[in-house]
């Protein structure tokens, strides 16, 4: 298989194991989602209760995604995946028993769906980050697309299987099949070995690691753009996912098999979209491609509201599936290649947090609107809100990294002070001298460098101009604060080539005779007690 092939990541044994385990696990998840939504329509007549199935599945990501992403960066991802799959296996077993014995209630179903969502919240960051870790850098975009195809192939297969099983043996059998799916995923993951950690520094504490992940995203303009685009799309598109069971049962008068076929149409479209993505990305810039896909999803949503002819409904859902994978795989791939390796799990977790939060809030919002305004009008309003997204973002740039500027850079300052056995705040202070005429451009470059220092672990950063006895030059003082000497070492280790280029742009504006003067010191340090 050629390295340039869209399927080249399958050459790597670890990627194959993660991909197949994700496929099997996601098939089980989709079977469970279909079974839970369909079972809820029998347990309760309230539209909002059916919509809350989506909320119960998505809400755990809001609560746990960031701790899960931090754990994915700091601990062995294979063990995390196995532990989460084990929890989901136990919950699925309980779900099966309660359903088969007739003990299921609407609130118990929501609670168990929430518990399964907690397992998924821990699986997703580790699985996504691992998929890009086990392939070369130039194959990461293809690995991301293949991971999306795995997820959406499960969406195509899972609902069909669930619908067939419900029609043949009842909803309880779907949950039993889910137990088997998680068992297979665990067996596959046990065959994969996680790569060793690349750093020789002590593991960062979980709370400090969580704060570092939030700080990185807070000071990353690329992440701001990606999260904004994802939120605008998902909040509006969640109407289709949350209300689809009601459309199937009440508007189209379909049974479980028909509902499964509708979800399968979405999944088939996603697989088609994954296959089309490489050629579309060669022909279209990212922003126009996302805009066109958003319009296609909006049209499909409106068709679902207005059309009752099944072939046309299935065609619209295939189109929605194509648009769904194009948008979400593009944004997810951009995150993989636009954030540093050490924080990738946390960045993906934050994306998942925003994604699932938008799904949860959107499901409640559109479910409430449907309760008072009716199903067709709600879907039309959701389609209109989807069209508003590209209009709001039309003039905003959508430029992402190809990953090569995130290669680790040489360490800029060595541990020459011999203070690794001390504790206390670490202050980096650098004095620059630049021409007065270049001061404005120099300060812009220095502020960009300051954002990179904050992304890499600095707690605070500031710079200020000082008067200079030479009228043609000004002196600029940069001060950077870190929590400890270990954080200072991590800050140095986290530097990438993009950070080095920022430093070079600052140095290029200096007065040649006066090199920058740097000093690193520990405030109120003391020897660590043993």
């Amino acid at each position: 298989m050629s390295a340039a092939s869209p399927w080249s990541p399958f050459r790597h044994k670890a990627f194959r194991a993660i991909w197949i385990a994700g496929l099997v696990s996601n098939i089980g998840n989709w079977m469970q989602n279909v079974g839970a939504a369909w079972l809820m329509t029998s347990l309760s007549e309230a539209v909002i209760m059916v919509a809350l199935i989506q909320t119960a599945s998505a809400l755990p990501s809001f609560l746990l995604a960031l701790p899960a992403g931090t754990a994915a960066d700091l601990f062995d991802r294979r063990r995390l995946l196995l532990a989460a799959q084990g929890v989901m296996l136990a919950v699925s077993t309980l779900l099966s028993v309660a359903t088969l014995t007739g003990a299921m209630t609407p609130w118990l179903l929501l609670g168990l769906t929430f518990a399964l969502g907690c397992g998924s919240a821990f699986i997703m960051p580790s699985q996504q980050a691992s998929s890009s870790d086990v392939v070369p850098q130039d194959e990461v975009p293809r690995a991301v697309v293949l991971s999306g195809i795995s997820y959406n192939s499960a969406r195509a297969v899972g609902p069909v299987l669930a619908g067939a099983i419900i029609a043949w043996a009842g909803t309880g059998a779907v949950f039993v099949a889910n137990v088997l799916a998680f068992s297979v995923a665990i067996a596959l993951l046990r065959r994969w070995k996680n790569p060793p950690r690349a750093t020789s520094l002590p593991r960062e504490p979980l709370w400090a690691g969580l704060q570092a992940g939030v700080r990185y995203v807070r000071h990353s303009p690329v992440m701001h753009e990606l999260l904004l685009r994802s939120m605008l799309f998902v909040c509006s598109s969640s109407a289709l996912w949350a209300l689809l069971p009601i459309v199937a049962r009440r508007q189209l008068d379909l049974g479980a098999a028909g509902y499964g076929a509708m979800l399968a149409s979405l999944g088939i479209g996603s697989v088609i979209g994954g296959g089309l993505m490489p050629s579309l990305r060669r022909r279209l810039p990212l922003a126009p491609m996302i805009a066109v896909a958003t319009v296609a999803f909006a049209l499909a949503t409106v068709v679902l509201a207005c059309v009752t002819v099944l072939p046309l409904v299935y065609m619209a859902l295939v189109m929605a599936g194509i648009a769904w994978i194009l948008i979400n795989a593009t944004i997810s791939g951009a995150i993989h290649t636009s954030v540093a390796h050490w924080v990738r799990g946390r960045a993906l977790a934050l994306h998942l947090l925003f994604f699932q939060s938008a799904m949860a809030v959107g499901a409640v919002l559109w479910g409430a609107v449907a309760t008072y305004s009716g199903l067709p009008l709600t879907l039309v309003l959701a389609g209109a809100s989807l069209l508003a997204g590209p209009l709001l973002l039309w003039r905003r740039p959508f430029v992402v990294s190809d990953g090569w500027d995130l290669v680790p850079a040489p360490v800029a300052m060595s541990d020459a002070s011999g203070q690794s056995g001390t504790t206390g705040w670490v202050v980096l202070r650098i004095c620059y001298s630049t021409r007065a005429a270049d001061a404005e451009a120099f300060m812009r470059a220095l502020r960009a460098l300051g954002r990179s220092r904050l992304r890499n672990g600095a707690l605070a950063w500031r710079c200020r101009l000082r008067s200079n006895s030479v009228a043609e030059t000004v002196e600029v003082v940069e001060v950077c604060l870190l929590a400890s000497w270990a954080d200072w070492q991590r800050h140095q280790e986290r530097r990438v080539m993009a950070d080095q280029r920022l430093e070079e742009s600052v140095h290029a504006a200096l007065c040649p005779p006066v090199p920058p003067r740097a000093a690193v010191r520990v405030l109120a340090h003391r020897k660590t007690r043993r």
Side-chain angles (χ1 to χ4, degrees), residues 415 417-428 481-486 488 519-527:
D415 184 1
S417 302
Q419 302 183 83
S420 57
T422 62
T423 61
W425 303 103
V426 175
V427 177
L428 167 66
L481 178 69
L482 295 101
S484 66
W485 189 259
W488 162 250
V520 180
R521 61 193 180 100
V522 180
L523 295 181
H525 67 274
R526 60 185 182 276
K527 293 292 181 181

Side-chain angles (χ1 to χ4, degrees), residues 456-495:
N456 289 339
L459 297 179
W461 179 92
R462 65 183 177 87
C463 65
R464 61 188 177 89
L465 287 168
R466 291 201 319 190
S467 59
N468 195 298
S469 58
V470 182
E472 290 79 10
T473 65
V474 294
E475 191 172 77
V476 181
V477 179
E478 176 191 6
V479 179
C480 182
L481 178 69
L482 295 101
S484 66
W485 189 259
D487 281 345
W488 162 250
Q489 292 176 301
R490 291 189 188 98
H491 180 275
Q492 292 297 96
E493 191 178 74
R494 290 167 179 171
R495 290 175 65 257

Side-chain angles (χ1 to χ4, degrees), residues 284-342:
L284 283 175
L286 292 180
M289 185 177 74
I290 290 179
V292 171
T294 303
V295 171
F297 198 98
L299 292 175
T301 304
V302 173
V303 168
L304 202 65
C306 304
V307 176
T308 58
V309 180
L310 282 181
L312 294 179
V313 170
Y314 291 144
M315 289 175 61
L317 291 174
V318 169
M319 182 172 67
I322 294 173
W324 180 265
I325 190 66
L326 288 177
I327 294 170
N328 289 302
T330 298
I331 293 175
S332 180
I335 292 173
H336 275 80
T337 59
S338 300
V339 300
H341 176 271
W342 65 270

Side-chain angles (χ1 to χ4, degrees), residues 29 60 76 122 124 150 190 205-206 211 215 219 229 260 303 370 373 407 453 457 463 472 485 491 502 517:
N29 276 329
D76 188 292
F122 270 89
M124 292 299 288
S150 169
R190 288 177 64 88
L206 186 64
Q211 291 176 303
R215 192 181 303 116
H219 296 285
R229 290 178 180 273
V303 168
S373 302
V407 174
R453 298 200 196 281
C463 65
E472 290 79 10
W485 189 259
H491 180 275
L502 289 173
R517 304 184 304 279

